[in-house]
Amino acid sequence: MTGAQIHHADFTQFPVQNDCLEIGGIPLTRLVQRVGRTPFYAYDRKKITERVQLLRESLPAGIHIHYAMKANPMPAVVQHLANLVDGIDVASAGEMRTALDTTMPAQQISFAGPGKTEHELSSAIAAGIVLNMESERELSLITRIADQIGIQPNVAIRVNPDFELKSSGMKMGGGPKQFGIDAELVPALLTKIGRLDLNFIGFHIFSGSQNLKAEALQETQEKTLQLGLKLAESAPSPVRMLNIGGGFGIPYFPGERPLDIHAIGQNLDNLLPSVRQRLPEAKIVVELGRYIVAEAGIYVCRIIERKKSRGKVFLVTDGGLHHHLAATGNFGQVIRKNYPVMIGNKVFGTPRETVSVVGPLCTPLDLLAEQMEMAQTEENDLVVVLQSGAYGLTASPTAFLGHPEPTEVLV
Ligand SMILES: *Cc1c(COP(=O)(O)O)cnc(C)c1O
């Protein structure tokens, strides 16, 4: 992949006025003034809203959309989404607190994740949220704590399926996994649950993440629904929730095509009638993180210095790996590729040049763009990393090297 082939303007989902990117209807240069400093993350409220609308239009009516908030736990973003989606999925007691601070009712918040502690479980039971149990240990702890505090807990079983999500960026089900309870052990566990004082809700089956292939997702959704139906035969009470996971990916790199969300919707349209007939009380849930927020966010940093070394130009910025690990290729990628990076105040500007964008950290890993073509710049110009609304700030080692933390704004 050479610099010349990368047309980062392909990724410009934001309007450009006078060669300046606009986010939330505000020119970037003005937003920088408003925020008062760089670096920062900015999330576009309207883009998030439109993404949920697209999901509503594309997926069958009545599908419940949950937001997996680890993708972007900024409280203002989570509250905005609480008004738009049907539930919030949390993965820690900290996330649970943020979710409970929103207007989302507790029964529509669920808590997944391996190794939940006694403290996390008791606070979740007291809150009245749904616990996605990941092991027999959690079942015994939940039963004991619930008995002590006199509250009947809402429980679902997170199932480790006996299949994998093909072509997925991150596999989180199938084979031996730390997530969920192996599908073959679930019937016996359901019998046990039937003898306990628990409010059994249903199943959570999540197979993987960052998938752009509609066919792979369709196949997994079909297998997931079949597995849910089979396990429901052993359930102690009617299944009221079947969470079939998500895994909807977004394009990060040149040549990647957006997911065909309409094809996903059509497939679910075909599959759902028979599921609804057999599980009439079950709400069918998809849980999505990055698909909802990633494209709505940018990361903005400022060029501190233009530096030449043996014929190559380096733009040294005040942002980098410590704020945006994923964009440097160090968060789950096997081969480092450039995120879409551009000069936010000179989007289409000419002349163009091929540069590398680096941060201030003393490590060669601190690389935001390697040999990419962009407008020729000077100090104080603004570097923008697109597709940054998910797994940005909170997935980065902000304490590494002790530079100040970036701010976040929802505009
Ligand atoms: C991380 C996670 C998600 C969200 O994944 P995305 O790729 O951001 O959509 C959903 N469900 C579970 C259980 C997760 O762990």
Side-chain angles (χ1 to χ4, degrees):
M1 190 195 323
T2 68
Q5 286 173 322
I6 296 166
H7 211 285
H8 39 256
D10 291 348
F11 279 99
T12 311
Q13 58 273 56
F14 301 100
V16 177
Q17 288 281 350
N18 304 322
D19 217 19
C20 184
L21 207 65
E22 272 187 10
I23 178 149
I26 306 172
L28 184 66
T29 43
R30 181 165 174 172
L31 185 62
V32 170
Q33 292 293 327
R34 178 185 124 178
V35 175
R37 57 180 279 243
T38 51
F40 63 87
Y41 280 90
Y43 313 118
D44 187 320
R45 184 190 303 272
K46 186 155 163 270
K47 284 256 174 294
I48 296 175
T49 308
E50 285 167 357
R51 195 35 88 92
V52 177
Q53 277 163 358
L54 174 67
L55 285 164
R56 297 273 185 219
E57 284 158 20
S58 312
L59 302 181
I63 283 262
H64 288 243
I65 299 169
H66 281 202
Y67 175 51
M69 67 169 274
K70 79 172 188 287
N72 187 328
M74 185 200 187
V77 168
V78 181
Q79 175 56 63
H80 180 60
L81 278 163
N83 300 326
L84 301 171
V85 299
D86 308 300
I88 299 175
D89 293 331
V90 306
S92 70
E95 287 190 358
M96 179 179 75
R97 276 195 295 278
T98 303
L100 287 169
D101 281 343
T102 70
T103 44
M104 186 61 74
Q107 317 85 275
Q108 284 153 248
I109 298 171
S110 55
F111 186 174
K116 296 183 202 72
T117 64
E118 204 168 327
H119 169 75
E120 287 171 327
L121 291 171
S122 63
S123 117
I125 294 168
I129 70 171
V130 177
L131 280 155
N132 292 337
M133 297 186 295
E134 311 247 352
S135 67
E136 285 230 37
R137 168 193 155 273
E138 285 186 5
L139 175 61
S140 357
L141 264 178
I142 289 167
T143 315
R144 176 161 64 69
I145 298 166
D147 190 46
Q148 278 164 10
I149 59 182
I151 296 169
Q152 197 193 41
N154 304 317
V155 298
I157 297 181
R158 176 161 183 190
V159 181
N160 176 21
D162 41 11
F163 51 83
E164 285 192 341
L165 172 54
K166 287 179 195 147
S167 12
S168 189
M170 244 180 249
K171 290 189 173 53
M172 291 179 64
K177 285 280 180 303
Q178 73 267 48
F179 308 110
I181 295 167
D182 294 344
E184 56 278 19
L185 304 178
V186 171
L189 199 71
L190 286 165
T191 309
K192 204 166 158 181
I193 289 174
R195 293 196 291 262
L196 299 168
D197 187 19
L198 302 168
N199 184 26
F200 174 73
I201 304 277
F203 302 106
H204 172 217
I205 310 174
F206 180 80
S207 311
S209 200
Q210 181 47 22
N211 203 308
L212 286 170
K213 294 208 167 72
E215 273 172 32
L217 287 164
Q218 287 169 341
E219 191 188 314
T220 297
Q221 288 179 336
E222 179 164 5
K223 287 183 183 162
T224 302
L225 288 166
Q226 275 164 7
L227 177 58
L229 287 171
K230 193 172 114 214
L231 295 176
E233 290 168 11
S234 314
S237 53
V239 170
R240 279 167 289 152
M241 182 206 66
L242 181 53
N243 180 333
I244 62 170
F248 300 6
I250 64 130
Y252 286 99
F253 309 115
E256 286 186 340
R257 314 276 319 142
L259 175 67
D260 184 352
I261 189 72
H262 299 286
I264 303 280
Q266 294 223 304
N267 185 57
L268 283 174
D269 253 336
N270 297 336
L271 296 171
L272 282 196
S274 70
V275 176
R276 287 195 164 125
Q277 205 176 5
R278 289 173 63 184
L279 303 178
E281 293 182 40
K283 56 183 183 191
I284 311 294
V285 176
V286 295
E287 62 175 355
L288 301 168
R290 84 182 74 221
Y291 190 79
I292 296 177
V293 288
E295 292 179 87
I298 60 173
Y299 173 65
V300 183
C301 55
R302 185 191 299 273
I303 299 173
I304 302 296
E305 185 176 323
R306 278 177 62 87
K307 182 166 178 176
K308 276 198 182 143
S309 168
R310 307 214 159 104
K312 298 216 156 142
V313 179
F314 290 85
L315 306 179
V316 186
T317 67
D318 58 1
L321 170 147
H322 51 320
H323 300 160
H324 201 335
L325 187 68
T328 64
N330 294 296
F331 187 69
Q333 295 96 319
V334 182
I335 304 164
R336 192 198 170 284
K337 293 185 204 160
N338 286 327
Y339 262 49
V341 174
M342 60 171 60
I343 306 304
N345 57 321
K346 295 178 178 167
V347 177
F348 300 108
T350 49
R352 316 286 292 178
E353 63 177 351
T354 297
V355 298
S356 291
V357 180
V358 300
L361 306 191
C362 290
T363 161
L365 300 178
D366 194 8
L367 181 63
L368 286 172
E370 184 175 27
Q371 292 293 292
M372 275 180 87
E373 191 221 89
M374 48 192 86
Q376 214 170 69
T377 48
E378 49 197 78
E379 283 169 18
N380 288 321
D381 279 338
L382 301 166
V383 171
V384 168
V385 183
L386 297 167
Q387 316 300 76
S388 297
Y391 306 107
L393 179 56
T394 58
S396 300
T398 51
F400 190 36
L401 272 94
H403 290 282
E405 285 207 16
T407 27
E408 291 179 293
V409 287
L410 176 64
V411 287

